[in-house]
Amino acid sequence: MASAVRFAFGPFAARRDVLILFCAENLKFGSAGRRIIARMGETFRRAAAADHFTGKNGSSLDVVAPVNLDVPRLVVVGTGKGDALTSRDLVKLGGVAMGKLPKAATAATIFAEFGSGALKAGQVADLALGARLRGYAFDLYKTKRKDDEERAPKKIELNFACSNPRSAEKAWSGRAAIADGVVLARDLVNEPGNVLYPGEFARRTSALGKLGVNVEVLDVAAMRKLGMGALLGVGQGSTHEARLVVMRWNGGKRGGDPVAFIGKGVCFDSGGLSIKPAQNMEDMKGDMAGAACVVGLIHALAARKAKVNAVGAIGLVENMPDGKAQRPGDIVKTMSGQTIEIINTDAEGRLVLADVLHYVNKRFKPKFMINLATLTGAIIVALGQEYAGLFCNDDKLAERLIKAGEAVGERVWRMPLGPEYDKMIDSKFADMKNTGGRSGGAITAAQLLQRFVEKTPWAHLDIAGTGMGSPQSDINRSWASGWGVRLLERLVEDHYER
Ligand code: BES
Ligand code: MN
Ligand code: ZN
């Protein structure tokens, strides 16, 4: 949802609103903060001692009506020992600070300095990014609000006091593009299936046109012409028709090969005729988190005018059981010409991606393809919700993804691929079958995808554990995480801009 947080950047000066300072271990403040604390005399040390606050990373101290200061409240957030604070730490601290704002606050001033000194422009922007992500809430359908719910700030102004406000503001414009991309992805994932079906998803994606993105929407007839029998088979049991959306952002060298991102967009996954149990089936409205990430990423790249040619392609379907639905035992023909025997209609994501991967590869000849998909429950069994599964046919691309993930805190863990696993999806009746049995379920799913990428460098991120239902963190309180936008944005920024 559109953010009601306003960000402003100015010089170091306390105002009459909530004041947020940072301090390192042993109550070590920067020079601007030290001057403020000095005004409180002994009371600051007494408050800190009473609360056993020493400045440990992520901890905080709340002083209401601080003596001799013209502010209603002083919040001190600890940064710990760290002079070696990374961008990821800064984003987190921005989230912590935002989380400390009382419900009633309409404005706050954040002193952007640590014990080691004033922050650089990019660091200030990272704090702001964390604050923005923490401030996100999906409350579109709440008509009432309980008192104890962490509020999405109705309207709040965050003033960042810093040593070079103009360059901080400039750095923020780039980070704001990324924040908007994450928020867009979260909104899409949080929306229920009755609202966000393929046609509506495609319409919302078309809004990227405003940023200079070229958006094409292919309907069922167009996909039939292309021979996308696997994608269409998944959607045929739903009254909501399938769509394929192709986004192109051309900020790089004219005619240069693009990088390509592909998303699984199953707007609701009932399992089809191989229907899922009722327990937690409602979570399957989020089975389009891969597609949401791709849209958020292209938004971010376009909004900050990234110097890259990027393609985003999302296969949008609803997997439902009805008289027209696909059956176990059916054999479908993919656009690539390869055939797939359907063993379980609930293994539908790989069918959608098989056609979209082939289409993107043939049409765009990309430098690499990265697909994101809430593909398997098996990846959650393997990795929980901390890491996404990474399957990759290219060591350099894998290395870059792992590094980018560590840098932004969206981490990926590399999983194996190999001929022994590939054999497990050979079929008696067709070129392959869509499941490989219980063991290695995340891997055999990846093997099927690999059969549609040929020699192109490719990575598959299985985000079933990270894309939704995430544990609450300092930078996210919502069910949807928007996972992957910051990771891939960092990958592009670090390696693929001209
Ligand atoms: N969308 C699910 C995977 C999933 C499960 C995502 C839980 C998020 C949370 C996927 O389409 C699916 O149903 N996979 C099956 C595959 C099986 C039938 C081979 C699974 O993981 O059980
Ligand atoms: Mn499924
Ligand atoms: Zn699914």
Side-chain angles (χ1 to χ4, degrees):
M1 245 152 290
S3 170
V5 189
R6 272 208 33 211
F7 292 87
F9 302 84
F12 283 106
R15 301 148 60 107
R16 283 153 179 253
D17 46 32
V18 177
L19 176 61
I20 299 182
L21 303 178
F22 295 96
C23 83
E25 198 78 73
N26 299 321
L27 307 183
K28 186 169 170 234
F29 285 86
S31 54
R34 219 175 305 132
R35 277 196 295 277
I36 300 269
I37 295 298
R39 300 227 291 264
M40 293 173 68
E42 262 311 291
T43 61
F44 178 75
R45 254 162 220 294
R46 284 173 56 200
D51 230 14
H52 299 285
F53 175 81
T54 59
K56 282 203 181 51
N57 187 281
S59 68
S60 62
L61 174 71
D62 223 347
V63 188
V64 179
V67 67
N68 293 337
L69 299 187
D70 202 6
V71 303
R73 182 188 294 254
L74 168 69
V75 179
V76 182
V77 174
T79 61
K81 298 216 176 37
D83 279 334
L85 288 165
T86 62
S87 148
R88 178 179 163 187
D89 299 323
L90 281 143
V91 172
K92 181 189 130 172
L93 286 166
V96 172
M98 184 71 180
K100 292 303 296 177
L101 291 184
K103 278 186 199 136
T106 55
T109 300
I110 299 175
F111 271 32
E113 65 166 2
F114 288 168
S116 48
L119 300 184
K120 298 195 191 76
Q123 296 178 305
V124 181
D126 278 335
L127 281 181
L129 173 60
R132 172 82 203 278
L133 295 180
R134 173 61 175 262
Y136 172 85
F138 184 77
D139 49 13
L140 192 56
Y141 301 104
K142 294 241 185 206
T143 63
K144 301 181 180 72
R145 178 164 302 282
K146 299 197 189 77
D147 284 346
D148 57 351
E149 272 177 311
E150 186 168 332
R151 64 102 170 71
K154 279 289 159 280
K155 249 207 183 117
I156 187 158
E157 194 177 289
L158 289 188
N159 297 293
F160 287 86
C162 43
S163 56
N164 191 341
R166 284 173 58 105
S167 44
E169 184 152 21
K170 207 160 147 233
W172 169 238
S173 79
R175 295 300 194 291
I178 298 170
D180 288 345
V182 176
V183 164
L184 172 57
R186 286 181 183 173
D187 276 348
L188 291 166
V189 174
N190 279 321
E191 283 283 12
N194 61 330
V195 173
L196 197 75
Y197 49 89
E200 174 61 15
F201 199 140
R203 256 191 301 284
R204 292 198 190 183
T205 304
S206 300
L208 297 196
K210 281 200 301 261
L211 300 171
V213 177
N214 175 292
V215 184
E216 289 166 75
V217 179
L218 281 68
D219 62 9
V220 169
M223 287 188 276
R224 201 171 284 135
K225 244 192 221 146
L226 288 164
M228 297 189 165
L231 184 155
L232 290 171
V234 174
Q236 75 191 27
S238 169
T239 53
H240 294 300
E241 289 196 344
R243 295 283 186 273
L244 171 62
V245 183
V246 181
M247 296 152 260
R248 276 178 295 165
W249 167 251
N250 290 318
K253 269 206 210 75
R254 184 184 266 275
D257 289 342
V259 295
F261 303 93
I262 291 105
K264 168 179 173 180
V266 177
C267 294
F268 184 72
D269 180 13
S270 70
L273 287 176
S274 314
I275 198 163
K276 289 180 180 295
Q279 177 113 56
N280 299 330
M281 202 205 269
E282 69 278 13
D283 286 352
M284 288 302 113
K285 72 173 184 176
D287 207 18
M288 28 55 71
C293 172
V294 170
V295 176
L297 172 68
I298 300 292
H299 178 106
L301 293 174
R304 73 166 182 79
K305 300 203 173 4
K307 292 183 169 49
V308 65
N309 296 332
V311 170
I314 54 178
L316 302 171
V317 299
E318 188 180 51
N319 187 22
M320 296 290 263
D322 93 334
K324 290 208 196 79
Q326 108 179 319
R327 290 156 287 260
D330 283 3
I331 295 175
V332 294
K333 187 162 188 155
T334 62
M335 181 182 172
S336 77
Q338 301 178 87
T339 56
I340 308 178
E341 180 191 7
I342 310 300
I343 300 298
N344 187 321
T345 64
D346 197 12
E348 84 296 341
R350 63 200 76 179
L351 300 170
V352 172
L353 291 172
D355 276 333
V356 184
L357 283 166
H358 177 81
Y359 173 81
V360 169
N361 204 16
K362 283 285 152 290
R363 177 170 171 195
F364 297 107
K365 310 220 171 336
K367 277 199 185 70
F368 66 67
M369 296 196 285
I370 296 177
N371 74 258
L372 299 103
T374 48
L375 204 64
T376 67
I379 202 67
I380 308 178
V381 175
L383 301 175
Q385 300 196 291
E386 301 309 316
Y387 286 81
L390 163 66
F391 299 84
C392 192
N393 65 0
D394 183 284
D395 290 343
K396 192 160 119 198
L397 181 58
E399 196 50 46
R400 288 176 171 181
L401 279 164
I402 292 166
K403 286 237 170 71
E406 292 293 338
V408 304
E410 292 179 341
R411 292 176 301 171
V412 300
W413 192 263
R414 193 167 183 185
M415 302 283 287
L417 289 163
E420 308 79 4
Y421 297 109
D422 188 71
K423 270 209 312 260
M424 294 166 70
I425 54 168
D426 285 340
S427 154
K428 261 202 280 279
F429 299 103
D431 296 332
M432 68 196 88
K433 52 186 180 180
N434 79 329
T435 63
R438 266 180 56 73
S439 58
I443 307 172
T444 49
Q447 293 292 163
L448 189 142
L449 302 184
Q450 193 176 15
R451 290 189 183 202
F452 295 86
V453 301
E454 299 179 1
K455 294 271 174 297
T456 305
W458 155 77
H460 153 50
L461 298 170
D462 194 335
I463 61 169
T466 54
M468 58 189 168
S470 329
Q472 297 210 327
S473 75
D474 291 319
I475 56 169
N476 187 31
R477 301 270 130 175
S478 117
W479 181 73
S481 60
W483 194 98
V485 174
R486 291 187 299 125
L487 164 72
L488 296 175
E489 147 63 38
R490 176 60 69 98
L491 177 81
V492 169
E493 196 176 319
D494 284 354
H495 299 290
Y496 298 97
E497 286 194 68
R498 93 177 123 89

